[in-house]
Structure formats: structure tokens, C-alpha cells
């Protein structure tokens, strides 16, 4: 495993920990989109169907369990925990996530490498992950008042995507036959979605002012 | 062709 990949996984892990920290210790999910969190739970559930059938490494299995466990517990917290539930900004989190799930499913049925259940589900999860952040970005833009932990959560998620792109470039030049168009194009689309947020995040950090997004 | 164990990314 190369350094970009490891750094990518670690920033992904940090983003989840930041979010769990916010939810678990402060008992608040203000500014967090339940729609995005539900989409991530669906992404991991459909991607890691191989968790008990294909063993890759202990690292791989443990990370999969962490991402599955954390995404479902975040959804549980936001839906069922009395205090956390109260801080959920339901009125602004109105993105219709069916509008993302259905096109991704259709696209996965049309464009995939093998027409098997596991492969189509895996491809669906790749497409869905690319756009799953959209409800969160829309919510940020609507609330405009972004607290530090929420900003850091989205920043680390974006960092994870950018590092994965560097990882793919590295692997392409160092490993034979390393070509994965579906993953690359989806990953690129996903990273581009963060570009706008990154711009405002970094300029607010540079100018040492609170992060706000333009309307 | 995808080789077995190639999906080593998360």
C-alpha cells in the first residue's frame, strides 16, 4: 500500500471520527445531513458484500467493519437518539435522495465490468459515493452557519478523495494492468464536487475568519 | 479482466 492510499484512508477515518465525536460527545448533529449519512450507509452496505467471502487483508476487513459500523451508528444516532435527533436541521435537509439512488442504480445496470449481483452492487456503490455528499453540501449552503467540526468533517472527506486520486496515479505508474475507469471517473467527479467548498474552507482558514458559504 | 483480490481499495 502506498503512502497516498494510507493517507487517504486515514483522512477518511478521521472524518468519520470527527463526526462521531460531534454526535457522541456534544450530542449534536446540527449542520449534518441525514440524507448524506443514509446514502453513505447504503454505499458501504452495497460495496462490502464481499466482506465475508473475499479476504484481502486484516487491515481491509477491519476498515470495512469500521466504515459499516460507523455509518450505520451515525444514522441510528440521528434518527433514534433523543438529544441528537433534536439538533437535526430537518427543515433545511430536504434534498430528495431518491433522485441520486435511482439514476446510480440504472447507471450501474448499464455500465459495469461484469453482470453479476455483487459486481453491479459494487458499481452502484461507486457511483452513489460520488454524489452522496450533495445533500450535505446543499445543507451547508442553506444553513450558512457552519461550526468547526462540521467544516472539518467535510474537509477531511474531501481530502480523502483527493488523496485517492494521487493513489490511483501512483498505482497506474507502478503496477501493471492497473486500469479502473469506473472508479477513476466516479472518483474524479466526486472530488470536483468538493472544489467549491475547499476554496471557501481554505480562504476562511487563511484569513482566520469563520467559514461561511455564499448564497 | 479483473484479477481476484484486485478490489483492495475501500
Amino acid at each position: 500500500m502506498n503512502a497516498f492510499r494510507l493517507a487517504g484512508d486515514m483522512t477518511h477515518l478521521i472524518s468519520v471520527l470527527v463526526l462521531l465525536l460531534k454526535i457522541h460527545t456534544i450530542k449534536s448533529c446540527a449542520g449534518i445531513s441525514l440524507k448524506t449519512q443514509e446514502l453513505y450507509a447504503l454505499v458501504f452496505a452495497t460495496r462490502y458484500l464481499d466482506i465475508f467471502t473475499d479476504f484481502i487483508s486484516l487491515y481491509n476487513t477491519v476498515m470495512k467493519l469500521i466504515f459499516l459500523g460507523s455509518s450505520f451508528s451515525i444514522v441510528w444516532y440521528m434518527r433514534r437518539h433523543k438529544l441528537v435527533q433534536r439538533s437535526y436541521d430537518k427543515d433545511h435537509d430536504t434534498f430528495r435522495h431518491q433522485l441520486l439512488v435511482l439514476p446510480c442504480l440504472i447507471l450501474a445496470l448499464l455500465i459495469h465490468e461484469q453482470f453479476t449481483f455483487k459486481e453491479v452492487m459494487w458499481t452502484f456503490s461507486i457511483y452513489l459515493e460520488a454524489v452522496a455528499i450533495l445533500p450535505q453540501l446543499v445543507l451547508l449552503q442553506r444553513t450558512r452557519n457552519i461550526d468547526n467540526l462540521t467544516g472539518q468533517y467535510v474537509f477531511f472527506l474531501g481530502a480523502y478523495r483527493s488523496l485517492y486520486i494521487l493513489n490511483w496515479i501512483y498505482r497506474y505508474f507502478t503496477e501493471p494492468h492497473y486500469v479502473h475507469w469506473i472508479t477513476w471517473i466516479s472518483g474524479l467527479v466526486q472530488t470536483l464536487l468538493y472544489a467549491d467548498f475547499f476554496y471557501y474552507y481554505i480562504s476562511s482558514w487563511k484569513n482566520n475568519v469563520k467559514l461561511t458559504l455564499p448564497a | 479482466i479483473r484479477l481476484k483480490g484486485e478490489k483492495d481499495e475501500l
Side-chain angles (χ1 to χ4, degrees):
Chain A
M1 186 173 13
N2 65 70
F4 300 118
R5 161 73 199 283
L6 184 64
D9 285 350
M10 289 307 117
T11 43
H12 193 185
L13 193 61
I14 291 170
S15 75
V16 173
L17 291 179
V18 166
L19 185 52
L20 274 174
L21 177 86
K22 179 181 157 94
I23 291 177
H24 188 81
T25 61
I26 310 170
K27 296 281 182 284
S28 162
C29 65
I32 300 296
S33 165
L34 177 61
K35 305 288 171 88
T36 285
Q37 297 308 319
E38 287 179 341
L39 291 177
Y40 280 139
L42 185 59
V43 163
F44 295 130
T46 49
R47 183 173 308 167
Y48 298 156
L49 289 173
D50 63 350
I51 190 166
F52 298 115
T53 55
D54 300 330
F55 181 77
I56 295 158
S57 64
L58 185 64
Y59 171 84
N60 203 280
T61 306
V62 170
M63 291 295 269
K64 282 175 178 171
L65 287 172
I66 292 175
F67 289 134
L68 275 170
S70 58
S71 61
F72 278 92
S73 57
I74 289 165
V75 170
W76 180 85
Y77 260 119
M78 292 183 74
R79 279 181 165 274
R80 301 272 176 260
H81 192 283
K82 287 252 153 37
L83 280 171
V84 178
Q85 207 183 42
R86 225 178 284 165
S87 59
Y88 171 48
D89 193 358
K90 198 179 177 184
D91 298 334
H92 286 112
D93 190 24
T94 52
F95 197 103
R96 305 252 298 273
H97 48 349
Q98 310 93 296
L99 291 179
L100 299 176
V101 175
L102 208 61
C104 287
L105 192 61
I106 293 168
L107 196 63
L109 286 167
L110 295 173
I111 306 171
H112 48 253
E113 284 186 18
Q114 283 166 30
F115 193 65
T116 61
F117 177 71
K118 236 162 79 174
E119 189 69 17
V120 170
M121 284 295 106
W122 179 86
T123 313
F124 164 71
S125 83
I126 295 288
Y127 295 149
L128 189 62
E129 189 191 355
V131 292
I133 194 67
L134 282 174
Q136 179 63 63
L137 292 176
V138 168
L139 180 61
L140 285 186
Q141 201 131 54
R142 282 187 185 155
T143 46
R144 304 208 50 206
N145 194 9
I146 305 161
D147 63 78
N148 285 336
L149 285 176
T150 307
Q152 279 152 13
Y153 166 67
V154 180
F155 172 77
F156 279 116
L157 261 182
Y160 142 64
R161 293 318 308 181
S162 321
L163 287 159
Y164 253 67
I165 289 184
L166 296 178
N167 154 60
W168 295 330
I169 295 170
Y170 181 87
R171 292 188 76 170
Y172 177 76
F173 286 110
T174 55
E175 288 175 34
H177 317 298
Y178 185 77
V179 180
H180 296 289
W181 288 110
I182 289 176
T183 327
W184 293 348
I185 294 171
S186 314
L188 194 64
V189 168
Q190 186 177 1
T191 313
L192 289 175
L193 293 180
Y194 287 92
D196 195 54
F197 172 83
F198 263 134
Y199 173 79
Y200 292 105
Y201 186 86
I202 290 165
S203 50
S204 85
W205 176 72
K206 253 175 36 191
N207 303 323
N208 209 9
V209 292
K210 202 169 159 29
L211 173 63
T212 50
L213 299 178
Chain B
I1 327 160
R2 197 194 291 283
L3 302 166
K4 190 173 157 48
E6 223 181 311
K7 269 188 207 148
D8 57 348
E9 288 176 357
L10 300 158

Coordinates of all heavy atoms in Angstrom, one line a residue, chain A residues 130-179:
Chain A
A130 N -20.0 8.9 -5.3 CA -19.6 10.1 -6.0 C -20.5 11.3 -5.7 O -20.0 12.4 -5.6 CB -19.4 9.8 -7.5
V131 N -21.8 11.0 -5.6 CA -22.8 12.1 -5.4 C -23.4 12.2 -4.0 O -24.2 13.1 -3.8 CB -23.9 11.9 -6.5 CG1 -23.3 12.2 -7.9 CG2 -24.5 10.6 -6.4
A132 N -23.0 11.2 -3.1 CA -23.6 11.2 -1.8 C -23.4 12.4 -1.0 O -24.2 12.7 -0.1 CB -23.1 9.9 -1.0
I133 N -22.4 13.2 -1.3 CA -22.1 14.4 -0.5 C -23.0 15.5 -0.8 O -23.1 16.5 -0.1 CB -20.6 14.8 -0.7 CG1 -20.1 15.8 0.4 CG2 -20.3 15.3 -2.1 CD1 -20.1 15.3 1.8
L134 N -23.7 15.5 -2.0 CA -24.5 16.6 -2.4 C -25.5 17.1 -1.4 O -25.6 18.3 -1.2 CB -25.2 16.2 -3.8 CG -24.3 16.3 -5.0 CD1 -25.1 15.8 -6.2 CD2 -23.9 17.8 -5.3
P135 N -26.4 16.2 -0.8 CA -27.3 16.8 0.2 C -26.5 17.5 1.4 O -27.0 18.6 1.8 CB -28.0 15.5 0.8 CG -27.8 14.5 -0.3 CD -26.5 14.8 -0.9
Q136 N -25.3 17.1 1.7 CA -24.6 17.7 2.8 C -24.1 19.1 2.3 O -24.2 20.1 3.0 CB -23.3 16.9 3.1 CG -22.4 17.5 4.2 CD -23.1 17.7 5.5 OE1 -23.6 16.7 6.2 NE2 -23.3 18.9 5.9
L137 N -23.6 19.2 1.1 CA -23.2 20.5 0.5 C -24.3 21.5 0.4 O -24.2 22.6 0.7 CB -22.5 20.3 -0.8 CG -21.1 19.5 -0.8 CD1 -20.6 19.3 -2.2 CD2 -20.1 20.2 0.1
V138 N -25.5 20.9 0.0 CA -26.7 21.8 -0.1 C -27.1 22.3 1.3 O -27.4 23.5 1.4 CB -27.8 21.0 -0.8 CG1 -29.2 21.8 -0.7 CG2 -27.5 20.8 -2.3
L139 N -27.0 21.4 2.3 CA -27.4 21.8 3.6 C -26.4 22.9 4.2 O -26.9 23.9 4.8 CB -27.4 20.6 4.5 CG -27.8 20.9 6.0 CD1 -29.2 21.4 6.1 CD2 -27.6 19.6 6.8
L140 N -25.1 22.7 3.9 CA -24.2 23.7 4.3 C -24.5 25.1 3.7 O -24.4 26.1 4.4 CB -22.7 23.3 3.9 CG -22.0 22.2 4.6 CD1 -20.6 22.0 4.2 CD2 -22.1 22.4 6.1
Q141 N -24.8 25.1 2.5 CA -25.1 26.3 1.8 C -26.3 27.0 2.3 O -26.4 28.2 2.4 CB -25.3 26.0 0.3 CG -25.1 27.3 -0.6 CD -24.1 27.0 -1.7 OE1 -24.3 26.0 -2.5 NE2 -23.1 27.7 -1.8
R142 N -27.3 26.2 2.7 CA -28.6 26.7 3.2 C -28.4 27.2 4.6 O -29.0 28.3 4.9 CB -29.7 25.6 3.2 CG -30.2 25.4 1.8 CD -31.4 24.5 1.8 NE -31.8 24.2 0.5 CZ -32.5 23.1 0.1 NH1 -32.7 22.2 1.1 NH2 -32.8 22.9 -1.1
T143 N -27.7 26.5 5.5 CA -27.6 27.0 6.9 C -26.6 28.1 7.0 O -26.8 29.0 7.9 CB -27.2 25.8 7.8 OG1 -26.1 25.1 7.2 CG2 -28.3 24.8 8.0
R144 N -25.6 28.1 6.2 CA -24.6 29.2 6.2 C -23.8 29.3 7.5 O -22.7 29.8 7.5 CB -25.2 30.5 5.8 CG -26.0 30.4 4.5 CD -26.0 31.7 3.7 NE -24.7 32.3 3.6 CZ -24.5 33.6 3.4 NH1 -25.5 34.4 3.4 NH2 -23.3 34.1 3.3
N145 N -24.4 28.9 8.6 CA -23.7 29.0 9.9 C -23.0 27.6 10.1 O -23.6 26.7 10.7 CB -24.7 29.3 11.0 CG -23.9 29.7 12.2 OD1 -22.7 30.0 12.2 ND2 -24.6 29.9 13.3
I146 N -21.7 27.5 9.7 CA -21.1 26.2 9.8 C -20.1 26.2 11.0 O -19.2 27.0 11.1 CB -20.3 26.0 8.5 CG1 -21.2 26.1 7.3 CG2 -19.6 24.6 8.5 CD1 -20.5 26.4 6.0
D147 N -20.4 25.2 11.9 CA -19.5 25.1 13.1 C -18.2 24.4 12.6 O -18.1 23.8 11.6 CB -20.2 24.4 14.2 CG -20.5 23.0 13.9 OD1 -19.7 22.1 13.9 OD2 -21.7 22.7 13.6
N148 N -17.2 24.5 13.5 CA -15.8 24.0 13.2 C -15.8 22.5 12.9 O -15.2 22.1 11.9 CB -14.9 24.2 14.3 CG -14.5 25.7 14.4 OD1 -14.5 26.4 13.4 ND2 -14.1 26.2 15.6
L149 N -16.5 21.7 13.7 CA -16.5 20.3 13.5 C -17.1 19.9 12.2 O -16.6 19.0 11.5 CB -17.2 19.5 14.7 CG -16.4 19.5 16.0 CD1 -17.2 18.8 17.1 CD2 -15.0 18.7 15.8
T150 N -18.2 20.5 11.8 CA -18.9 20.2 10.5 C -18.0 20.5 9.4 O -17.8 19.8 8.4 CB -20.2 21.0 10.4 OG1 -21.0 20.7 11.6 CG2 -21.0 20.5 9.2
G151 N -17.3 21.7 9.5 CA -16.4 22.1 8.4 C -15.2 21.2 8.3 O -14.9 20.8 7.2
Q152 N -14.7 20.7 9.5 CA -13.6 19.8 9.4 C -14.0 18.4 8.9 O -13.3 17.8 8.1 CB -13.0 19.6 10.8 CG -12.1 20.7 11.2 CD -12.0 21.0 12.7 OE1 -12.5 20.2 13.5 NE2 -11.4 22.1 13.1
Y153 N -15.2 18.0 9.2 CA -15.7 16.7 8.7 C -15.7 16.7 7.2 O -15.2 15.8 6.5 CB -17.2 16.5 9.2 CG -17.9 15.4 8.5 CD1 -17.5 14.1 8.6 CD2 -19.0 15.7 7.7 CE1 -18.2 13.1 7.9 CE2 -19.7 14.7 7.0 CZ -19.3 13.4 7.1 OH -19.9 12.4 6.4
V154 N -16.3 17.8 6.6 CA -16.4 17.8 5.1 C -15.0 18.0 4.5 O -14.6 17.4 3.5 CB -17.3 19.0 4.7 CG1 -17.4 19.1 3.1 CG2 -18.7 18.8 5.2
F155 N -14.1 18.8 5.2 CA -12.8 19.0 4.7 C -12.0 17.6 4.6 O -11.4 17.3 3.6 CB -12.0 20.0 5.6 CG -10.6 20.1 5.3 CD1 -10.1 20.8 4.1 CD2 -9.6 19.4 6.0 CE1 -8.8 20.9 3.8 CE2 -8.3 19.5 5.7 CZ -7.8 20.2 4.6
F156 N -12.1 16.8 5.7 CA -11.4 15.6 5.7 C -11.9 14.6 4.7 O -11.2 13.8 4.1 CB -11.4 14.9 7.1 CG -10.4 15.5 8.0 CD1 -10.7 16.2 9.2 CD2 -9.0 15.4 7.7 CE1 -9.8 16.8 10.0 CE2 -8.0 16.0 8.6 CZ -8.4 16.7 9.7
L157 N -13.3 14.6 4.5 CA -13.8 13.8 3.5 C -13.3 14.1 2.1 O -13.0 13.3 1.3 CB -15.4 14.0 3.4 CG -16.2 12.9 4.2 CD1 -17.7 13.3 4.0 CD2 -16.0 11.5 3.7
G158 N -13.2 15.4 1.8 CA -12.7 15.9 0.5 C -11.2 15.6 0.4 O -10.7 15.2 -0.7
A159 N -10.5 15.6 1.5 CA -9.0 15.3 1.5 C -8.9 13.8 1.1 O -8.0 13.5 0.3 CB -8.4 15.6 2.8
Y160 N -9.7 13.0 1.7 CA -9.7 11.6 1.4 C -9.8 11.3 -0.1 O -9.1 10.5 -0.7 CB -10.8 10.9 2.3 CG -11.5 9.7 1.6 CD1 -10.9 8.6 1.2 CD2 -12.9 9.8 1.4 CE1 -11.6 7.5 0.7 CE2 -13.6 8.8 0.9 CZ -13.0 7.7 0.5 OH -13.7 6.6 -0.1
R161 N -10.8 12.0 -0.7 CA -11.0 11.8 -2.1 C -9.8 12.3 -3.0 O -9.4 11.6 -3.9 CB -12.2 12.5 -2.6 CG -13.5 12.0 -2.1 CD -13.6 10.5 -2.1 NE -13.3 9.9 -3.4 CZ -13.3 8.6 -3.5 NH1 -13.6 7.8 -2.6 NH2 -13.0 8.0 -4.7
S162 N -9.2 13.4 -2.6 CA -8.1 13.9 -3.4 C -6.9 13.0 -3.2 O -6.2 12.7 -4.2 CB -7.7 15.3 -2.8 OG -8.8 16.0 -2.6
L163 N -6.7 12.4 -2.0 CA -5.6 11.5 -1.8 C -5.7 10.2 -2.6 O -4.8 9.6 -3.1 CB -5.4 11.3 -0.3 CG -4.8 12.4 0.4 CD1 -5.0 12.3 1.9 CD2 -3.3 12.5 0.2
Y164 N -7.0 9.8 -2.8 CA -7.2 8.6 -3.5 C -6.9 8.8 -5.0 O -6.4 7.9 -5.7 CB -8.7 8.1 -3.4 CG -8.8 6.9 -2.5 CD1 -8.6 7.0 -1.2 CD2 -9.2 5.7 -3.0 CE1 -8.7 5.8 -0.3 CE2 -9.3 4.5 -2.2 CZ -9.1 4.6 -0.9 OH -9.2 3.5 -0.1
I165 N -7.1 10.0 -5.5 CA -6.7 10.3 -6.9 C -5.2 10.2 -7.0 O -4.7 9.5 -8.0 CB -7.2 11.6 -7.3 CG1 -8.7 11.5 -7.5 CG2 -6.6 12.1 -8.6 CD1 -9.4 12.8 -8.0
L166 N -4.4 10.7 -6.1 CA -3.0 10.6 -6.1 C -2.6 9.1 -6.0 O -1.6 8.7 -6.7 CB -2.3 11.4 -5.0 CG -2.6 12.9 -5.0 CD1 -1.9 13.6 -3.8 CD2 -2.0 13.5 -6.3
N167 N -3.3 8.4 -5.2 CA -3.0 6.9 -5.1 C -3.2 6.2 -6.4 O -2.4 5.4 -6.8 CB -3.9 6.4 -4.0 CG -4.3 4.9 -4.2 OD1 -3.4 4.1 -4.2 ND2 -5.5 4.6 -4.3
W168 N -4.3 6.6 -7.2 CA -4.5 5.9 -8.5 C -3.4 6.3 -9.5 O -3.0 5.4 -10.2 CB -5.9 6.3 -9.0 CG -7.0 5.9 -8.2 CD1 -7.1 4.7 -7.4 CD2 -8.3 6.5 -8.0 NE1 -8.3 4.6 -6.8 CE2 -9.0 5.7 -7.1 CE3 -8.9 7.7 -8.5 CZ2 -10.3 6.0 -6.7 CZ3 -10.1 8.0 -8.1 CH2 -10.9 7.2 -7.2
I169 N -3.0 7.5 -9.5 CA -1.9 7.9 -10.4 C -0.7 7.1 -10.0 O 0.0 6.6 -10.9 CB -1.7 9.5 -10.3 CG1 -2.9 10.2 -10.8 CG2 -0.4 9.9 -11.1 CD1 -2.9 11.7 -10.5
Y170 N -0.4 7.1 -8.8 CA 0.8 6.3 -8.3 C 0.7 4.9 -8.8 O 1.7 4.3 -9.3 CB 1.0 6.4 -6.8 CG 2.2 5.7 -6.3 CD1 3.4 6.4 -6.2 CD2 2.1 4.4 -5.8 CE1 4.5 5.7 -5.7 CE2 3.2 3.7 -5.3 CZ 4.4 4.4 -5.3 OH 5.5 3.7 -4.8
R171 N -0.4 4.2 -8.5 CA -0.6 2.8 -8.8 C -0.5 2.6 -10.3 O 0.0 1.5 -10.8 CB -1.9 2.3 -8.2 CG -1.9 2.3 -6.7 CD -3.1 1.5 -6.2 NE -3.0 0.1 -6.3 CZ -3.8 -0.8 -5.8 NH1 -4.8 -0.3 -5.0 NH2 -3.7 -2.1 -5.9
Y172 N -1.1 3.5 -11.1 CA -1.1 3.4 -12.5 C 0.4 3.3 -13.1 O 0.6 2.5 -14.0 CB -1.8 4.6 -13.2 CG -1.8 4.5 -14.7 CD1 -2.6 3.7 -15.4 CD2 -0.9 5.3 -15.4 CE1 -2.6 3.6 -16.8 CE2 -0.9 5.3 -16.8 CZ -1.7 4.4 -17.5 OH -1.7 4.3 -18.8
F173 N 1.3 4.0 -12.5 CA 2.6 4.0 -13.0 C 3.5 2.9 -12.4 O 4.6 2.6 -12.9 CB 3.3 5.4 -12.8 CG 2.8 6.4 -13.7 CD1 2.0 7.5 -13.3 CD2 3.1 6.4 -15.1 CE1 1.5 8.4 -14.2 CE2 2.6 7.3 -16.0 CZ 1.8 8.3 -15.5
T174 N 3.0 2.4 -11.2 CA 3.9 1.4 -10.6 C 3.4 -0.1 -10.7 O 4.1 -1.0 -10.4 CB 4.1 1.7 -9.1 OG1 2.7 1.8 -8.5 CG2 4.8 3.0 -8.9
E175 N 2.1 -0.2 -11.0 CA 1.5 -1.6 -11.1 C 1.1 -1.9 -12.5 O 0.5 -1.1 -13.2 CB 0.3 -1.7 -10.1 CG 0.7 -1.7 -8.7 CD -0.5 -1.7 -7.8 OE1 -1.5 -2.3 -8.1 OE2 -0.4 -1.1 -6.7
P176 N 1.4 -3.1 -13.0 CA 0.9 -3.5 -14.3 C -0.6 -3.7 -14.4 O -1.2 -4.2 -13.4 CB 1.7 -4.8 -14.6 CG 2.0 -5.3 -13.2 CD 2.2 -4.1 -12.3
H177 N -1.2 -3.3 -15.5 CA -2.6 -3.5 -15.7 C -3.5 -2.9 -14.7 O -4.6 -3.4 -14.4 CB -3.0 -5.0 -15.8 CG -2.0 -5.9 -16.5 ND1 -1.8 -5.7 -17.9 CD2 -1.1 -6.8 -16.1 CE1 -0.9 -6.5 -18.3 NE2 -0.4 -7.2 -17.3
Y178 N -3.0 -1.8 -14.1 CA -3.9 -1.1 -13.2 C -4.7 0.0 -13.9 O -4.3 1.1 -14.0 CB -3.0 -0.5 -12.0 CG -3.9 0.1 -10.9 CD1 -4.5 -0.7 -10.0 CD2 -4.1 1.5 -10.9 CE1 -5.3 -0.1 -9.0 CE2 -4.8 2.1 -9.9 CZ -5.5 1.2 -9.0 OH -6.2 1.8 -8.0
V179 N -5.9 -0.4 -14.4 CA -6.8 0.5 -15.1 C -8.2 0.3 -14.6 O -8.7 -0.8 -14.7 CB -6.7 0.3 -16.7 CG1 -7.7 1.2 -17.4 CG2 -5.3 0.5 -17.2

